[in-house]
Amino acid sequence: MLENLSGLLAEAKQKKYAIGAFNTTTFESLRAVISAAEECQTPVIIQHAQSHDGIIALEEIGPLMLEHAKKAKVPVAVHLDHGATFERCVQAIRLGFTSVMYDASGKDFETNVRETQEIVKIAHAAGVTVEAELGSIFSSEVGNSEGDCLTITEDEAQLADIYTDPQAAKEFVERTGVDCLAIAFGTVHGIYVKEPRLDLDRITKIKQAIDIPFVMHGGSGVSAADYHQAIQNGICKINYYTYMNQAGGEEIRRFVQETPANEPMFYDTITKRAQAATKADVLQAMRIFKGGSV
């Protein structure tokens, strides 16, 4: 069932769980995510990031995402992740996506506000949900494909500058009218090589300033306990990609290593193995986001 993101997030916010948002860069990953959501009986968000255009173009994968969302036995929102231009957001809206993220977080505050306001006007006129970002999400040196993010830092002054400020978040949301906000509190895109330095109390402080659904980008290296606490504090949407992608890749590695050199190897067998491993990893994430354990 194709659903608007706002409705899904409103229920998640009320019932204090988070909905997983999974980048589906291949047909196999798309099938894995939808199948996992149906097995877990949970709403899900499938998304395409502009930074993944080199893997597959939006106009190619978008219609497949929408078709699978409509046929799914659970509610599915189809989302543009990290849209960097007005043109890309409009393209997703015209395709039928039910939500778009316009990411101007790398620009100054006033420019972010002004440009996000324009996207909100366009999207809301079409009944489409808008996500924006305030603050900066770290980038790991390994496995990151999310575009222009800051590298991991140990500098406390820099942390204060790039974490989302509660009062700035309040002003941003009130001036732009966005439906949900991605906030920075120490999470990382890519494979995390150290223990995350999460400021989970910051989520609560932002929620006290402005009570809308919040989004966690960069869930790499986050423990189940920290996920649960972040959700209790106000996170309603969690972007998840690197580890599910790695799970499929590692399964291919195992299969190749285990297959004798004199035996034939078929591409469709490899994709089935990768899809199954991806689904297993996504299922685990979904259960955690609903409040369960690993």
Side-chain angles (χ1 to χ4, degrees), residues 166-244:
Q167 290 307 310
K170 182 176 188 296
E171 179 182 352
F172 182 85
V173 171
E174 290 176 345
R175 290 176 62 185
T176 62
V178 294
D179 304 287
C180 55
L181 185 66
I183 57 175
F185 57 96
T187 55
V188 171
H189 288 302
I191 297 173
Y192 209 87
V193 294
K194 309 183 223 181
E195 183 179 353
R197 300 176 62 191
L198 303 183
D199 184 359
L200 295 170
D201 290 338
R202 185 170 294 263
I203 307 171
T204 302
K205 292 173 183 176
I206 299 170
K207 184 178 175 65
Q208 290 169 346
I210 188 76
D211 190 16
I212 67 168
F214 298 128
V215 181
M216 175 194 286
H217 283 225
S220 299
V222 177
S223 68
D226 282 343
Y227 271 129
H228 293 162
Q229 190 60 58
I231 293 165
Q232 290 302 306
N233 290 4
I235 294 295
C236 299
K237 172 179 180 276
I238 298 176
N239 285 19
Y240 189 91
Y241 173 68
T242 300
Y243 285 0
M244 66 177 260

Side-chain angles (χ1 to χ4, degrees), residues 20 51 161 193:
S51 61
D161 288 340
V193 294

Side-chain angles (χ1 to χ4, degrees), residues 122-166:
I122 295 168
H124 282 183
V128 171
T129 303
V130 179
E131 174 186 335
E133 182 175 315
L134 194 63
S136 298
I137 312 299
F138 290 126
S139 168
S140 169
E141 295 178 356
V142 184
N144 172 57
S145 58
E146 296 298 333
D148 186 18
C149 303
L150 296 180
T151 53
I152 302 167
T153 182
E154 300 292 337
D155 186 88
E156 296 293 340
Q158 188 187 5
L159 291 178
D161 288 340
I162 62 180
Y163 282 2
T164 304
D165 176 78

Side-chain angles (χ1 to χ4, degrees), residues 8-30:
L8 299 187
L9 293 183
E11 182 173 341
K13 180 173 175 288
Q14 178 186 3
K15 296 183 179 179
K16 287 192 175 295
Y17 66 87
I19 302 174
F22 304 90
N23 291 84
T24 52
T25 56
T26 66
F27 183 58
E28 290 76 24
S29 62
L30 174 58

Side-chain angles (χ1 to χ4, degrees), residues 52-158:
H52 290 151
D53 285 353
I55 302 172
I56 190 167
L58 177 62
E59 57 265 29
E60 293 179 273
I61 194 66
L64 288 173
M65 294 167 68
L66 289 161
E67 180 182 355
H68 278 70
K70 291 171 184 176
K71 292 179 178 179
K73 299 174 184 177
V74 294
V76 183
V78 181
H79 179 72
L80 174 69
D81 184 30
H82 288 285
T85 64
F86 282 27
E87 292 78 12
R88 177 47 58 91
C89 290
V90 170
Q91 181 187 12
I93 292 169
R94 286 177 172 166
L95 278 172
F97 279 40
T98 59
S99 61
V100 297
M101 177 195 183
Y102 180 64
D103 185 3
S105 60
K107 302 179 181 180
D108 66 86
F109 182 80
E110 287 299 327
T111 301
N112 193 352
V113 168
R114 184 173 64 253
E115 294 185 358
T116 303
Q117 285 173 334
E118 293 304 312
I119 291 295
V120 169
K121 289 178 186 176
I122 295 168
H124 282 183
V128 171
T129 303
V130 179
E131 174 186 335
E133 182 175 315
L134 194 63
S136 298
I137 312 299
F138 290 126
S139 168
S140 169
E141 295 178 356
V142 184
N144 172 57
S145 58
E146 296 298 333
D148 186 18
C149 303
L150 296 180
T151 53
I152 302 167
T153 182
E154 300 292 337
D155 186 88
E156 296 293 340
Q158 188 187 5

